[in-house]
PDB file of all heavy atoms in Angstrom:
ATOM      1  N   GLN A 115     120.720  60.897 140.986  1.00 86.00           N
ATOM      2  CA  GLN A 115     119.854  60.321 140.144  1.00 86.00           C
ATOM      3  C   GLN A 115     120.546  59.010 139.555  1.00 86.00           C
ATOM      4  O   GLN A 115     121.690  59.058 139.078  1.00 86.00           O
ATOM      5  CB  GLN A 115     119.657  61.332 138.895  1.00 86.00           C
ATOM      6  CG  GLN A 115     118.637  60.754 137.705  1.00 86.00           C
ATOM      7  CD  GLN A 115     118.311  61.923 136.787  1.00 86.00           C
ATOM      8  OE1 GLN A 115     118.021  62.985 137.128  1.00 86.00           O
ATOM      9  NE2 GLN A 115     118.288  61.471 135.430  1.00 86.00           N
ATOM     10  N   ILE A 116     119.729  57.963 139.460  1.00 81.00           N
ATOM     11  CA  ILE A 116     120.206  56.716 138.933  1.00 81.00           C
ATOM     12  C   ILE A 116     119.348  56.455 137.652  1.00 81.00           C
ATOM     13  O   ILE A 116     118.137  56.232 137.772  1.00 81.00           O
ATOM     14  CB  ILE A 116     120.176  55.583 139.896  1.00 81.00           C
ATOM     15  CG1 ILE A 116     120.882  55.904 141.189  1.00 81.00           C
ATOM     16  CG2 ILE A 116     120.518  54.242 139.340  1.00 81.00           C
ATOM     17  CD1 ILE A 116     120.635  54.996 142.393  1.00 81.00           C
ATOM     18  N   ASP A 117     120.025  56.512 136.492  1.00 76.00           N
ATOM     19  CA  ASP A 117     119.412  56.224 135.254  1.00 76.00           C
ATOM     20  C   ASP A 117     119.061  54.783 135.050  1.00 76.00           C
ATOM     21  O   ASP A 117     119.793  53.811 135.342  1.00 76.00           O
ATOM     22  CB  ASP A 117     120.191  56.711 134.180  1.00 76.00           C
ATOM     23  CG  ASP A 117     120.451  58.272 134.183  1.00 76.00           C
ATOM     24  OD1 ASP A 117     119.482  58.962 134.675  1.00 76.00           O
ATOM     25  OD2 ASP A 117     121.500  58.794 133.670  1.00 76.00           O
ATOM     26  N   ASN A 118     117.936  54.469 134.331  1.00 73.00           N
ATOM     27  CA  ASN A 118     117.561  53.105 134.070  1.00 73.00           C
ATOM     28  C   ASN A 118     118.114  53.012 132.641  1.00 73.00           C
ATOM     29  O   ASN A 118     117.772  53.577 131.530  1.00 73.00           O
ATOM     30  CB  ASN A 118     115.901  53.156 133.950  1.00 73.00           C
ATOM     31  CG  ASN A 118     115.471  51.701 133.475  1.00 73.00           C
ATOM     32  OD1 ASN A 118     116.171  50.932 133.208  1.00 73.00           O
ATOM     33  ND2 ASN A 118     114.168  51.702 133.316  1.00 73.00           N
ATOM     34  N   LYS A 119     119.027  52.054 132.542  1.00 80.00           N
ATOM     35  CA  LYS A 119     119.710  51.788 131.305  1.00 80.00           C
ATOM     36  C   LYS A 119     118.784  51.026 130.274  1.00 80.00           C
ATOM     37  O   LYS A 119     119.149  51.074 129.078  1.00 80.00           O
ATOM     38  CB  LYS A 119     120.910  50.827 131.588  1.00 80.00           C
ATOM     39  CG  LYS A 119     122.042  51.585 132.445  1.00 80.00           C
ATOM     40  CD  LYS A 119     123.182  50.668 132.686  1.00 80.00           C
ATOM     41  CE  LYS A 119     124.368  51.329 133.471  1.00 80.00           C
ATOM     42  NZ  LYS A 119     124.184  52.691 133.924  1.00 80.00           N
ATOM     43  N   ASN A 120     117.730  50.528 130.709  1.00 74.00           N
ATOM     44  CA  ASN A 120     116.720  49.864 129.802  1.00 74.00           C
ATOM     45  C   ASN A 120     115.580  50.713 129.435  1.00 74.00           C
ATOM     46  O   ASN A 120     114.705  50.255 128.705  1.00 74.00           O
ATOM     47  CB  ASN A 120     116.222  48.566 130.551  1.00 74.00           C
ATOM     48  CG  ASN A 120     117.246  47.450 130.764  1.00 74.00           C
ATOM     49  OD1 ASN A 120     118.159  47.316 129.971  1.00 74.00           O
ATOM     50  ND2 ASN A 120     117.277  46.862 131.896  1.00 74.00           N
ATOM     51  N   ALA A 121     115.665  51.995 129.749  1.00 69.00           N
ATOM     52  CA  ALA A 121     114.495  52.877 129.450  1.00 69.00           C
ATOM     53  C   ALA A 121     114.171  52.994 127.931  1.00 69.00           C
ATOM     54  O   ALA A 121     113.073  52.971 127.528  1.00 69.00           O
ATOM     55  CB  ALA A 121     114.774  54.251 130.077  1.00 69.00           C
ATOM     56  N   GLY A 122     115.321  53.054 127.246  1.00 72.00           N
ATOM     57  CA  GLY A 122     115.008  53.126 125.717  1.00 72.00           C
ATOM     58  C   GLY A 122     114.301  51.993 125.135  1.00 72.00           C
ATOM     59  O   GLY A 122     113.407  52.109 124.350  1.00 72.00           O
ATOM     60  N   LEU A 123     114.752  50.826 125.556  1.00 73.00           N
ATOM     61  CA  LEU A 123     114.113  49.538 125.152  1.00 73.00           C
ATOM     62  C   LEU A 123     112.576  49.444 125.636  1.00 73.00           C
ATOM     63  O   LEU A 123     111.722  49.195 124.811  1.00 73.00           O
ATOM     64  CB  LEU A 123     114.944  48.323 125.626  1.00 73.00           C
ATOM     65  CG  LEU A 123     114.374  47.045 125.204  1.00 73.00           C
ATOM     66  CD1 LEU A 123     114.297  46.779 123.716  1.00 73.00           C
ATOM     67  CD2 LEU A 123     115.131  45.856 125.794  1.00 73.00           C
ATOM     68  N   GLN A 124     112.392  49.916 126.851  1.00 68.00           N
ATOM     69  CA  GLN A 124     110.995  49.932 127.372  1.00 68.00           C
ATOM     70  C   GLN A 124     110.207  50.909 126.572  1.00 68.00           C
ATOM     71  O   GLN A 124     108.971  50.511 126.276  1.00 68.00           O
ATOM     72  CB  GLN A 124     111.063  50.203 128.887  1.00 68.00           C
ATOM     73  CG  GLN A 124     111.696  49.209 129.694  1.00 68.00           C
ATOM     74  CD  GLN A 124     111.937  49.560 131.219  1.00 68.00           C
ATOM     75  OE1 GLN A 124     111.758  50.779 131.570  1.00 68.00           O
ATOM     76  NE2 GLN A 124     112.225  48.605 132.030  1.00 68.00           N
ATOM     77  N   MET A 125     110.684  51.987 126.230  1.00 66.00           N
ATOM     78  CA  MET A 125     109.914  53.001 125.398  1.00 66.00           C
ATOM     79  C   MET A 125     109.550  52.544 124.189  1.00 66.00           C
ATOM     80  O   MET A 125     108.513  52.581 123.637  1.00 66.00           O
ATOM     81  CB  MET A 125     110.694  54.302 125.347  1.00 66.00           C
ATOM     82  CG  MET A 125     110.733  55.115 126.555  1.00 66.00           C
ATOM     83  SD  MET A 125     109.182  55.861 127.059  1.00 66.00           S
ATOM     84  CE  MET A 125     108.947  57.024 125.814  1.00 66.00           C
ATOM     85  N   PHE A 126     110.504  51.808 123.544  1.00 66.00           N
ATOM     86  CA  PHE A 126     110.256  51.209 122.215  1.00 66.00           C
ATOM     87  C   PHE A 126     109.274  49.966 122.172  1.00 66.00           C
ATOM     88  O   PHE A 126     108.319  49.985 121.429  1.00 66.00           O
ATOM     89  CB  PHE A 126     111.625  50.561 121.636  1.00 66.00           C
ATOM     90  CG  PHE A 126     111.472  49.939 120.253  1.00 66.00           C
ATOM     91  CD1 PHE A 126     111.224  50.659 119.120  1.00 66.00           C
ATOM     92  CD2 PHE A 126     111.471  48.478 120.218  1.00 66.00           C
ATOM     93  CE1 PHE A 126     111.021  49.970 117.883  1.00 66.00           C
ATOM     94  CE2 PHE A 126     111.327  47.927 119.031  1.00 66.00           C
ATOM     95  CZ  PHE A 126     111.121  48.566 117.848  1.00 66.00           C
ATOM     96  N   LEU A 127     109.291  49.167 123.275  1.00 70.00           N
ATOM     97  CA  LEU A 127     108.598  48.109 123.334  1.00 70.00           C
ATOM     98  C   LEU A 127     107.055  48.396 123.894  1.00 70.00           C
ATOM     99  O   LEU A 127     106.109  47.804 123.359  1.00 70.00           O
ATOM    100  CB  LEU A 127     109.084  46.838 124.237  1.00 70.00           C
ATOM    101  CG  LEU A 127     110.226  46.271 123.704  1.00 70.00           C
ATOM    102  CD1 LEU A 127     110.866  45.385 124.739  1.00 70.00           C
ATOM    103  CD2 LEU A 127     110.120  45.541 122.460  1.00 70.00           C
ATOM    104  N   ILE A 128     106.948  49.190 124.928  1.00 69.00           N
ATOM    105  CA  ILE A 128     105.648  49.355 125.517  1.00 69.00           C
ATOM    106  C   ILE A 128     105.187  50.926 125.487  1.00 69.00           C
ATOM    107  O   ILE A 128     104.081  51.173 125.951  1.00 69.00           O
ATOM    108  CB  ILE A 128     105.625  48.853 127.019  1.00 69.00           C
ATOM    109  CG1 ILE A 128     106.636  49.466 127.815  1.00 69.00           C
ATOM    110  CG2 ILE A 128     105.692  47.280 126.964  1.00 69.00           C
ATOM    111  CD1 ILE A 128     106.492  49.008 129.334  1.00 69.00           C
ATOM    112  N   GLY A 129     106.046  51.745 125.062  1.00 72.00           N
ATOM    113  CA  GLY A 129     105.674  53.152 124.911  1.00 72.00           C
ATOM    114  C   GLY A 129     105.677  53.924 126.269  1.00 72.00           C
ATOM    115  O   GLY A 129     105.365  55.210 126.221  1.00 72.00           O
ATOM    116  N   THR A 130     106.208  53.372 127.308  1.00 74.00           N
ATOM    117  CA  THR A 130     106.396  54.080 128.528  1.00 74.00           C
ATOM    118  C   THR A 130     107.593  53.478 129.375  1.00 74.00           C
ATOM    119  O   THR A 130     107.881  52.344 129.206  1.00 74.00           O
ATOM    120  CB  THR A 130     105.043  54.036 129.439  1.00 74.00           C
ATOM    121  OG1 THR A 130     105.312  54.726 130.616  1.00 74.00           O
ATOM    122  CG2 THR A 130     104.688  52.622 129.850  1.00 74.00           C
ATOM    123  N   ALA A 131     108.199  54.261 130.170  1.00 71.00           N
ATOM    124  CA  ALA A 131     109.437  53.791 130.916  1.00 71.00           C
ATOM    125  C   ALA A 131     109.753  54.843 132.079  1.00 71.00           C
ATOM    126  O   ALA A 131     109.467  55.933 131.967  1.00 71.00           O
ATOM    127  CB  ALA A 131     110.555  53.778 129.974  1.00 71.00           C
TER     128      ALA A 131
END
Side-chain angles (χ1 to χ4, degrees):
Q115 180 170 317
I116 300 171
D117 294 330
N118 176 3
K119 294 180 184 356
N120 297 321
L123 179 61
Q124 291 171 349
M125 286 293 287
F126 176 75
L127 293 175
I128 59 176
T130 184

